[in-house]
DNA sequence: GCTGGCACTCGACTGTAGCGAGTGCCAGTC
DNA sequence: GACTGGCACTCGCTACAGTCGAGTGCCAGC
C-alpha cells in the first residue's frame, strides 16, 4: 500500500517529536504540535496504517507510537531536509581545526570536535595506508644489526618498524639501500609496492640481497598485507545522555563493540566517494549495535577518499543535524589535508 | 581508639565479602563464612566500633555494613596480602606480549591485556618524552620550503612535525643541518635539548641560521615545552559489570573523566620509582571519580621509569588481585622495553 | 473521507500490609 | 571484663488492590 502525503507527514512528525522528547507520541499531542489540519481520530487511522506497514510501533497498548528502524530509514531517505549548520557551528569547526601541528593532532582535534558538535560518540579513521602513497622511506641505524624503518605517507601518516638484520651492516650500505628504495617507491601507491620491491631485489648488488630481503619482508608483511588501520574515538560519555533508555537497558554491548577496532573499521572505514552513509539498527550487521545508528562519510584531499569518519548514537538521533555536521566536518578536514 | 586484631579481622572479612557479593554484609553471614570464633553479637559490637571510627557504614538502618573509602584504605595498607598470580595469568601475559612489532603495538597489547586480566578499565601512558633521550633526528624534505622533522626517542617513540621553511633550502643544506643536529643531540635527554640547541645556533654557518631557527622553535615548542604525553585506554565496557550499582547510579562522570587526557596523566603518569600507588575515592582528587579507585605503577627498561600504567574501577574492587596484576604486567613490559 | 464520541486497555502511581534481614541493647554467664 | 543469647525495633522490599489517565480502536454520522 502506498503512503499518501499526509501519512508521510504524520511519520515525519512522529520521528521529530520522538527524537525531541524521547517519549512515545500520541495522536492528540501530534495534532497540537504540528498543524496537520486534521483531527486526532484521522491521525489515529493513519497511524494504524503506518503500524501495519512496520514504520512505527506501540511499546504497549495504551501508549503512543515510536518509530521502528524501518520508520527511521524512510524518514532519512525521503522525509528529512538537510539542516544547514548554524554560524556558531561553522565558527566552532574553523576555530577547532586551525593550529594543528601534525596529523595526529588533526585527527584528535577532529574526533573531539565531532563528538562535541553532535553530542554523540565520534569516530575518525586515520588516513588508510591502503589508499596512501609513499612519500619517503627512511632507515635509521640503531645498532650494527638493528635499524628502524620509518615510512612517511603522502597523507602525513608516519609508521615505524623495528628491523633485526641478520648480519652487521655498514652505515653506507644502509644509506645506499635507502636511496635505492626511495628511488623505486617514492610517489608510488602502497598497494603497488609488492611488485616494485620484488623488482628491486633483482636490481641490487647480490651482497645486499639478504639485508634487502629482511627489509622487504617487514615492509610487506607489517605495512602492506596486514594494513594497520587505526581509528580514534571520543565522546563515549555522550552515550549516557537521556538515561539508559536508549540502547534498551545496557550500555554494555555498545561499549564492547566500540572496543573492537575491526568493527569500527567496518562501520566507518568502508566509505564510497561522496556518499554519506546512514546505518540504522540491524543495518549495521552488528549484533551489539541493534539499538544504535551510524552516520559516516569519507574524507580526503582533492576529492579523493583516504579515510572515514562519523558518529554513532541511539537510533533515536537527530539524523538531519548529524548528517549535516558529519559532512561539514569531513569537508573541512579534507581542505586541511589538501593544504599539506 | 586502637583496633584490636579481631576488629581488623572483621574489617577484612567485610571488605572481602562485600567485594565478592556486592551486597551489604551482616553479622550473621560474617561468622558463617569466616570462622571468627565468636558469635554474631560480638561481631556486631565490633562493627559498631568500626562504624564509629569511620571504616564502615550502613546504607540504611536495617541493612548490613559496607566499607567506606577509609575502610578500603586500611584494608589495602594493612590487611591485604599480596595475591600471587595464577600460572594461567602468567602465561597469558607472556603470550600476549610476544610478537609486538613496534612501540604502538606494545602499548596497545599491554592495555588490552591489563583490561582483560583485571576486568577493569586499563590505562597505559606512552613512554614520556620528558624522560626520553634522542636517538635520532631525521629531516625529510617534502617540497623546497617544507619538510618533516622526525624524532626517534630511545624508548622507541617516534614523533613527527611538519615544518614550514621561510625560504627555499637546498637538499644538501638540509642534509648538513641534519648531521649537525644529530651530532649535538643524539643520546642526550630531551629536557636538556634547549641549551644544546642554543649552542648549536651559534656554531653553524650564518646563512643556515634562519632555517635552523625555525627548526629549533618547532623542536622546542612542540616537543619539549608542550610535552605531548599520550595515553591509551581499554576496557571501558568493564565499567558496566555489576550493574550501575557501583559508581552510584551513573557512568557519566566516569566516562567524562576518562575522556580527559590531563586527568588520566595525573592519575597514571606521575609515578615514583618502584611504588605501586592506590588511590581510593576522594584520594584521586577528581570530583568525577568519587566512586572510583585507581591502581597505578611505573614501568621502564633497566629500573628506570619512562611511563605509568594501571587500572581504574569501582572502589569496590579486588585490590590485592589488581595490584598483583598491574605489577606483573609492568614488570613484563619493562623487560620487553629493555630488550630493544 | 473525515470527525466526534465512547468503551476499553493497560501502564504508572499510590497506599497498605506482611516479611525478614539486620541491628542495638540488656541481662546473664564464664 | 569480655562474650553470648534473647528480644524488641527499624526499615527496605515485595505483593496486592485500587485509582487515574493517556491513548487507542471502532463506529455511526456528516
Amino acid at each position: 500500500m502506498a503512503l499518501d502525503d499526509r501519512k508521510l507527514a504524520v511519520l515525519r512528525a512522529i520521528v521529530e517529536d520522538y527524537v525531541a522528547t524521547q517519549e512515545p507520541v500520541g495522536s492528540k499531542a501530534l495534532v497540537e504540535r504540528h498543524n496537520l489540519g486534521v483531527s486526532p481520530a484521522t491521525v489515529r487511522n493513519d497511524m494504524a496504517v503506518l503500524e501495519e506497514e512496520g514504520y512505527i510501533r506501540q511499546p504497549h497498548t495504551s501508549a503512543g507510537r515510536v518509530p521502528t528502524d524501518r520508520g527511521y530509514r524512510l524518514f532519512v531517505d525521503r522525509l528529512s531536509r538537510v539542516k544547514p549548520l548554524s554560524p556558531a557551528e561553522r565558527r566552532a569547526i574553523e576555530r577547532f581545526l586551525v593550529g594543528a601541528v601534525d596529523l595526529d593532532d588533526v585527527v584528535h582535534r577532529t574526533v573531539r570536535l565531532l563528538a562535541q558538535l553532535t553530542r554523540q560518540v565520534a569516530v575518525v579513521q586515520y588516513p588508510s595506508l591502503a589508499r596512501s602513497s609513499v612519500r619517503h622511506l627512511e632507515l635509521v641505524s640503531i645498532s650494527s644489526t638493528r635499524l628502524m624503518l620509518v615510512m612517511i605517507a603522502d597523507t602525513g601518516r608516519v609508521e615505524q618498524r623495528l628491523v633485526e638484520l641478520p648480519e652487521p651492516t655498514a652505515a653506507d650500505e644502509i644509506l645506499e639501500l635507502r636511496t635505492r628504495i626511495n628511488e623505486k617507491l617514492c610517489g608510488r601507491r602502497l598497494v603497488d609496492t609488492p611488485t616494485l620491491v620484488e623488482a628491486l631485489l633483482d636490481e641490487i648488488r647480490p651482497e645486499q640481497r639478504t639485508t634487502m630481503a629482511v627489509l622487504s619482508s617487514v615492509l610487506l608483511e607489517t605495512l602492506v598485507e596486514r594494513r594497520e588501520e587505526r581509528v580514534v574515538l571520543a565522546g563515549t560519555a555522550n552515550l549516557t545522555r537521556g538515561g539508559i533508555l536508549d540502547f534498551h537497558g545496557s550500555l554494555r554491548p555498545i561499549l564492547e563493540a566500540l572496543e573492537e577496532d575491526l568493527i569500527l573499521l567496518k562501520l566507518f572505514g568502508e566509505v564510497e566517494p561522496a556518499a554519506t552513509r546512514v546505518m540504522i539498527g540491524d543495518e549495521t550487521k552488528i549484533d551489539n549495535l541493534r539499538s544504535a545508528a551510524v552516520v559516516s562519510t569519507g574524507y580526503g584531499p582533492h576529492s579523493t577518499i583516504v579515510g572515514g569518519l562519523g558518529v554513532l548514537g541511539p537510533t533515536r538521533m537527530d539524523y538531519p543535524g548529524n548528517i549535516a555536521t558529519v559532512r561539514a566536518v569531513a569537508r573541512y578536514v579534507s581542505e586541511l589535508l589538501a593544504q599539506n
Side-chain angles (χ1 to χ4, degrees), chain A:
Chain A
M1 177 180 181
L3 298 175
D4 58 38
D5 283 356
R6 199 189 54 222
K7 291 192 183 59
L8 292 176
V10 169
L11 177 57
R12 163 157 54 212
I14 291 174
V15 170
E16 287 175 355
D17 274 22
Y18 182 63
V19 165
T21 65
Q22 197 166 343
E23 266 166 20
V25 11
S27 54
K28 197 175 144 213
L30 216 53
V31 291
E32 276 169 11
R33 301 194 28 163
H34 307 256
N35 36 5
L36 296 169
V38 290
S39 78
T42 311
V43 170
R44 283 206 285 281
N45 289 328
D46 290 348
M47 281 174 154
V49 174
L50 287 169
E51 179 153 19
E52 209 172 311
E53 301 285 318
Y55 295 112
I56 56 179
R57 66 185 177 81
Q58 269 183 296
H60 42 256
T61 337
S62 92
R65 302 308 218 283
V66 162
T68 59
D69 290 357
R70 189 156 177 229
Y72 285 122
R73 169 53 59 197
L74 186 63
F75 174 80
V76 168
D77 287 347
R78 298 183 41 199
L79 301 176
S80 63
R81 328 122 204 253
V82 189
K83 196 187 279 184
L85 290 198
S86 72
E89 284 175 309
R90 294 195 174 280
R91 253 178 289 126
I93 295 178
E94 288 177 39
R95 215 177 324 137
F96 219 103
L97 292 179
V98 300
V101 298
D102 68 350
L103 184 69
D104 268 348
D105 215 13
V106 170
V107 169
H108 282 97
R109 279 168 190 246
T110 304
V111 76
R112 274 157 196 264
L113 173 67
L114 252 182
Q116 190 182 309
L117 289 177
T118 61
R119 314 202 58 178
Q120 308 287 353
V121 177
V123 180
V124 176
Q125 177 195 13
Y126 266 75
S128 166
L129 288 182
R131 301 171 192 261
S132 298
S133 302
V134 178
R135 178 178 277 162
H136 186 83
L137 241 155
E138 190 61 47
L139 300 177
V140 178
S141 190
I142 285 169
S143 73
S144 62
T145 63
R146 175 175 277 180
L147 51 79
M148 186 170 268
L149 183 155
V150 180
M151 190 207 67
I152 302 173
D154 59 343
T155 49
R157 203 167 144 183
V158 177
E159 290 285 322
Q160 67 278 1
R161 293 287 183 277
L162 214 55
V163 183
E164 297 281 346
L165 298 177
E167 54 197 31
T169 313
D172 53 349
E173 294 272 356
I174 303 276
L175 213 63
E176 191 188 335
L177 272 176
R178 186 197 77 144
T179 313
R180 299 298 302 267
I181 295 174
N182 271 301
E183 279 167 7
K184 199 77 178 181
L185 299 186
C186 270
R188 311 302 290 264
R189 298 188 49 195
L190 206 63
V191 286
D192 298 330
T193 49
T195 50
L196 295 169
V197 168
E198 207 173 319
L200 189 56
L201 265 172
D202 292 336
E203 295 170 19
I204 60 177
R205 288 186 281 124
E207 60 269 34
Q208 293 182 322
R209 294 228 173 107
T210 51
T211 308
M212 184 60 208
V214 174
L215 283 175
S216 82
S217 78
V218 168
L219 184 68
L220 298 183
E221 277 165 28
T222 73
L223 286 174
V224 183
E225 276 172 37
R226 193 179 101 189
R227 289 169 201 152
E228 289 259 316
E229 299 298 358
R230 296 174 61 188
V231 285
V232 187
L233 88 177
T236 43
N238 289 331
L239 290 174
T240 60
R241 285 192 314 129
I244 330 189
L245 303 147
D246 307 329
F247 312 119
H248 36 63
S250 171
L251 287 187
R252 188 96 204 248
I254 309 288
L255 286 172
E256 278 175 358
L258 292 178
E259 298 241 324
E260 300 282 340
D261 284 356
L262 280 180
I263 290 180
L264 294 181
L265 277 172
K266 194 164 160 248
L267 296 177
F268 294 93
E270 302 169 353
V271 204
E272 302 86 54
T276 304
R277 187 169 55 165
V278 178
M279 288 179 283
I280 299 164
D282 283 332
E283 294 172 6
T284 58
K285 306 263 178 63
I286 313 262
D287 230 43
N288 282 7
L289 299 180
R290 277 267 164 84
S291 54
V294 168
V295 177
S296 62
T297 194
Y299 72 89
H302 312 302
S303 320
T304 63
I305 302 283
V306 300
L309 57 79
V311 299
L312 180 150
T315 46
R316 178 202 136 279
M317 65 156 67
D318 171 16
Y319 291 96
N322 288 342
I323 290 171
T325 307
V326 165
R327 275 194 189 149
V329 170
R331 199 163 51 240
Y332 275 91
V333 174
S334 298
E335 277 175 31
L336 204 62
L337 288 180
Q339 286 166 24
N340 291 1

